[in-house]
Structure formats: structure tokens, C-alpha cells
Amino acid sequence: MPKNAMTVGAPRAAAPRSLWLLGPALVAGVAYLDPGNVASNMTAGAQYGYLLVWVVVAGNVMAWLIQYLSAKLGVVTGQSLPEVLGTRLRNRWGRRAYWLQAELVAMATDLAEVIGGAVALNLLFGVPLLVGGIITGAVSMTLLAVQSRRGPRPFEFVIVALLAIITIGFVAGVFVAPPDPAGIASGMVPRFEDTGSVLLAASILGATIMPHAIYAHSSLARDRFGAAQPGEADAARTEPARIRRLLKFTRWDVTIAMIIAGSVNLCILLLAAANLAGVEGTDSLEGAHAALAAGLGPVVATFFAVGLLASGLASTSVGAYAGAEIMHGLLHVRVPLLARRLVTLIPALLILGLGVDPTLALVLSQVALSFGIPFALIPLVVLTAQRRTLGGYANRAWTTVAGVVATVLLIALNTTLLYLLLSA
């Protein structure tokens, strides 16, 4: 366990104040506001108006449960999800195969986030995409250096500050041009219009609930206040009152994070539904920015671009953190975080340097995420339902049922996304 992790056996007088317990979910929640989310929600609102409001809301509800289960695993066991799987997967080649798919998914996520940052720098300052990708990578390495040298708390402060910028940048336009309340109400009725709306619904969910956020949250929770003896549920029973308190505030942490992430994602869709419906070219980040500038003025468009930049910077840092944890937990190899960040930048920079359409790269990254969803969700639900893993803190029956339902729905929708994309 990291030396800065808090242990169950710590003196009760040293227990952190309530506010100090908040933070891990806010960091993990940045994954729900990455450039892939922006592109999916903006396109959905521009093409189908308020039709898919219910998808954003439903996705956020499922995300709450999934992120809480991930955090609970880290709090009670003192291990991240990759670490638990690393001890349970006895077959060396099976463990390596699982690592490979998780690593590829994390890299695909990182690809979208670096590209999003590069596009934002291009929109704001006219910086060439390749140079923007290098700048985004360099800033993310600086943020990771804060995490490596100063511990999780300063890293959380920086990411939460970026989260505030993201929120302001993407929500500002809704106040300038408010959406139609009747349209929002109609959008809460679950329905589809055509194959394209199904594709976008699956894309929204695929961009919302991402494997690396699940891996990262369990690790962030472990680093802040995991159990004293990793992997042993009995260790948590040495001070059950403290574990219950941590889980209580973890629920609050996840609730706050999901309210913020869900509200921002909803505002992005509503902004497009109210102001960009039927406008050509809004199926790309550049096109959406141009349409906002033409329809609502340069100030709103600039806020949007600043939010996109903060989104790329914050989410790529969290993605790199998750990737390092995946490697450590499954392969028992700890590569320096900054060195790994440098290596994972290469695919994104190659794509930008080759002139591949950024929007196409974002779509392909969502396809890769779809492949990784079952490998993260199924073990998470199974492990948190096991008493041998969480002891008395294992899921109640209704929680397990809800987790299974969410998992089945997400896998079905992501399978639909793959089918529609590959058959197009």
C-alpha cells in the first residue's frame, strides 16, 4: 500500500474531518466529462433535440452505483480492482491477457482525451493539432508529477479545480440561451426515433461509464483510506465503526461527483438541443464550436473551448493514473508514472501527426471502450457481492441485482454500438 495511504488501525483522534473524506469520486468523476462525452452529448442534442435526455439521466444513475461499488472495494479491502484480480487470476497467461485488454482500453481512452485537449488548443489559440497534443501531454505529466511527489490530496485539489473550470465552461451557454422546459420533460420519456438515435444512445453510455474510471476509483479510495491489511476483509472488522463512516462519506462523495458530472453532461446536450438543432457540421467538436460562435457569440464559444481544454487535461491525467494501476495490479510491475505517460502519448501524437480526423479518432476510441466494459463491470459486481472479499460489507441482495441489471444493460447497449458502427 502507498506510504501515504490511511490505515484502519490509525488512532481515532487522527481520523480526518468529514470534508477531508471527499475527493476520490470527484477525481474519478472527471472521466465522465472527457472529450468523448462532450462529442456524444453535443451530437445527440444537435441531431435529435431533447430525445435522449433520458439516456443521460439513466447513465448517471447507473454510474453512481458502479462508482460506489468500485470505491467500496478499495475502502474495505485496501486493494484496487486490478490488485484483487491480480491475486485471484492464478493463470499467468490469463492474467496477462486480462491486463492487455485493460491496458488497450486505457490507452484508447487516453487517445480521445489527448485529442480533445489538442482540438481545444487549436480552437482557442490556433495551435496545430500535433503541437497541441504535445502540450496536453506535457501538462498532464506535470499533474502526474504532483501526484507522484506530493501524494493523492494535492493531485485531487488540482483535478477538482479543473473540474470547476469544466463545469463553468460547459454550463455557461445554458444560462445564455436556456432550454425549453417542456422539451426537457418530453426527453425524460424513454424512446428512440431511428437507428441513429440508438447509436447515439449507446455512444453516450459508452462515453459515460468507462472501464478506466472503475479501475481508478478503487485505487483512489485505497490510497486515501484503505484497510490495514490489503485483501483481507477481516482487517476491516478491527474498527467497523470507522469503515462504516468511510463508506457513508464515500456515498456522499460519489453522489456529489455524479450530480456534477450528470448535470454538466445534461447541460451539454441541452445547449445543443436548444441552439444547434438541425445545424450542419455539429457532429464534430470544431463544428459545434463554430456553430456556438455563430449562434450565441464568441464568449459562449470560448467558454466551451476552455471547458474542453480543462476536460482533456484533467481526464488524460486520471486515465494515465488508471493505466499505471492496471499494470501494477495485474502484472505486479510498477513502472514510473511519468515514464508510462510518455509511452502512452505516442499513439495519440502519431494520429495527430498523420492528420487523422479527430472526430473519427474519438469514435474509434468509443469502440475500444465498448470492448472493455464487460471485463471491468462483471468482476466488480461479483467481487463486491462476495463475503470472502468484503466480509460483512458485501453487497445486499438488491444491490447485487441492481448491479447485474446495470451490467446487462450496458453490455447490451455497447454490443449494439459495436454492431451499428461495424455494419455502417
Side-chain angles (χ1 to χ4, degrees), residues 247-328:
L247 291 177
K248 172 186 175 182
F249 282 98
T250 293
R251 286 191 289 272
W252 276 108
D253 192 25
V254 175
T255 299
I256 293 170
M258 291 301 99
I259 287 175
I260 293 173
S263 299
V264 174
N265 278 319
L266 187 58
C267 283
I268 294 171
L269 188 148
L270 296 178
L271 176 66
N275 303 282
L276 304 181
V279 178
E280 294 293 330
T282 53
D283 54 349
S284 69
L285 293 173
E286 299 92 333
H289 176 267
L292 286 174
L296 299 181
V299 174
V300 171
T302 299
F303 269 95
F304 174 82
V306 170
L308 181 62
L309 177 59
S311 167
L313 294 176
S315 56
T316 193
S317 301
V318 175
Y321 172 88
E325 182 58 37
I326 290 168
M327 178 175 286
H328 169 64

Side-chain angles (χ1 to χ4, degrees), residues 77-294:
T77 67
Q79 289 185 299
S80 66
L81 177 58
E83 285 177 321
V84 175
L85 292 173
T87 60
R88 298 291 179 88
L89 296 174
R90 301 294 184 182
N91 184 281
R92 177 185 300 179
W93 292 106
R95 189 171 67 250
R96 289 176 177 175
Y98 187 96
W99 164 78
L100 181 60
Q101 64 79 28
E103 195 71 43
L104 289 174
V105 167
M107 291 178 69
T109 305
D110 194 47
L111 172 70
E113 293 158 352
V114 172
I115 288 175
V119 170
L121 287 170
N122 177 263
L123 295 175
L124 287 168
F125 309 110
V127 176
L129 290 176
L130 178 58
V131 176
I134 294 173
I135 294 173
T136 301
V139 174
S140 70
M141 290 180 70
T142 302
L143 296 180
L144 291 171
V146 171
Q147 197 276 340
S148 297
R149 299 176 183 178
R150 303 293 298 274
R153 197 58 178 170
F155 180 65
E156 289 174 9
F157 284 141
V158 175
I159 297 300
V160 170
L162 288 172
L163 179 61
I165 296 173
I166 294 169
T167 302
I168 295 171
F170 291 144
V171 172
V174 174
F175 290 96
V176 174
D180 176 25
I184 298 174
S186 68
M188 289 297 296
V189 180
R191 66 194 191 283
F192 297 107
E193 186 173 293
D194 52 25
T195 302
S197 64
V198 177
L199 175 62
L200 273 172
S203 181
I204 290 171
L205 289 175
T208 300
I209 301 172
M210 296 188 290
H212 81 283
I214 299 171
Y215 299 128
H217 201 169
S218 60
S219 175
L220 291 162
R222 173 209 63 194
D223 288 353
R224 284 284 302 279
F225 27 67
Q229 300 178 36
E232 297 181 8
D234 287 340
R237 297 193 186 99
T238 59
E239 200 173 337
R242 186 170 189 273
I243 291 296
R244 286 195 297 271
R245 180 169 180 261
L246 289 174
L247 291 177
K248 172 186 175 182
F249 282 98
T250 293
R251 286 191 289 272
W252 276 108
D253 192 25
V254 175
T255 299
I256 293 170
M258 291 301 99
I259 287 175
I260 293 173
S263 299
V264 174
N265 278 319
L266 187 58
C267 283
I268 294 171
L269 188 148
L270 296 178
L271 176 66
N275 303 282
L276 304 181
V279 178
E280 294 293 330
T282 53
D283 54 349
S284 69
L285 293 173
E286 299 92 333
H289 176 267
L292 286 174

Side-chain angles (χ1 to χ4, degrees), residues 24-40:
L26 292 172
V27 175
V30 165
Y32 293 84
L33 295 170
D34 77 337
N37 289 84
V38 179
S40 297

Side-chain angles (χ1 to χ4, degrees), residues 364-383:
L364 293 177
S365 73
Q366 300 310 305
V367 175
L369 292 179
S370 299
F371 281 109
I373 283 286
F375 295 99
L377 280 182
I378 294 174
L380 177 68
V381 174
V382 170
L383 289 170

